[in-house]
Amino acid sequence: QVQLVESGGGLVHPGGSLRLSCAASRTIFRIYDMAWYRQAPGKQRESVAAITSNGVINYADPVKGRFTISRDNAKNTVYLQMNSLKPEDTAVYYCNAFAPYSGNSYWGRGTQVTVSS
């Protein structure tokens, strides 16, 4: 099993910033495709950003220009820098790892991000 632990969520005002971290439990982290998802109350879980093992990055349209995904393979960690936060960014943010050797996806338990004035 791959264990993922998110951290860095919290309450911020509109226009503020947060950096989320996701730490993985395995040293083979470097071969995983990593992604951030979010789910707001009453809504479906949606993809936010992804970064492959090769460093290819994709962002969902609502966060383009505001969020940045990155990874540090030496620390088995993926980050999501969130700037210019909006109330509609409020959600539980989940880290996801795709393991190519098994085809399985693994999820963290999520971290709450609340953007409110």
Side-chain angles (χ1 to χ4, degrees):
Q1 295 182 344
V2 177
Q3 295 183 359
L4 305 172
V5 180
E6 302 98 334
S7 62
L11 174 64
V12 297
H13 296 300
S17 297
L18 286 172
R19 189 180 76 158
L20 306 184
S21 298
C22 172
S25 63
R26 296 289 185 267
T27 58
I28 56 173
F29 171 85
R30 68 186 185 280
I31 71 172
Y32 301 158
D33 294 335
M34 303 297 298
W36 288 96
Y37 290 73
R38 67 186 182 186
Q39 187 167 24
K43 296 184 178 180
Q44 297 185 64
R45 186 173 298 186
E46 63 179 1
S47 176
V48 176
I51 181 167
T52 72
S53 62
N54 302 124
V56 178
I57 294 172
N58 291 106
Y59 296 102
D61 286 341
V63 309
K64 287 181 179 178
R66 299 188 297 120
F67 291 10
T68 302
I69 189 171
S70 62
R71 65 192 297 162
D72 186 341
N73 290 339
K75 297 181 178 180
N76 292 352
T77 301
V78 64
Y79 303 96
L80 185 68
Q81 178 67 46
M82 305 185 295
N83 298 326
S84 302
L85 283 161
K86 304 175 180 179
E88 53 262 44
D89 295 319
T90 296
V92 177
Y93 283 70
Y94 297 92
C95 181
N96 173 266
F98 175 75
Y101 53 86
S102 66
N104 292 332
S105 289
Y106 300 90
W107 296 92
R109 293 189 179 276
T111 185
Q112 177 71 48
V113 172
T114 302
V115 185
S116 177
S117 59

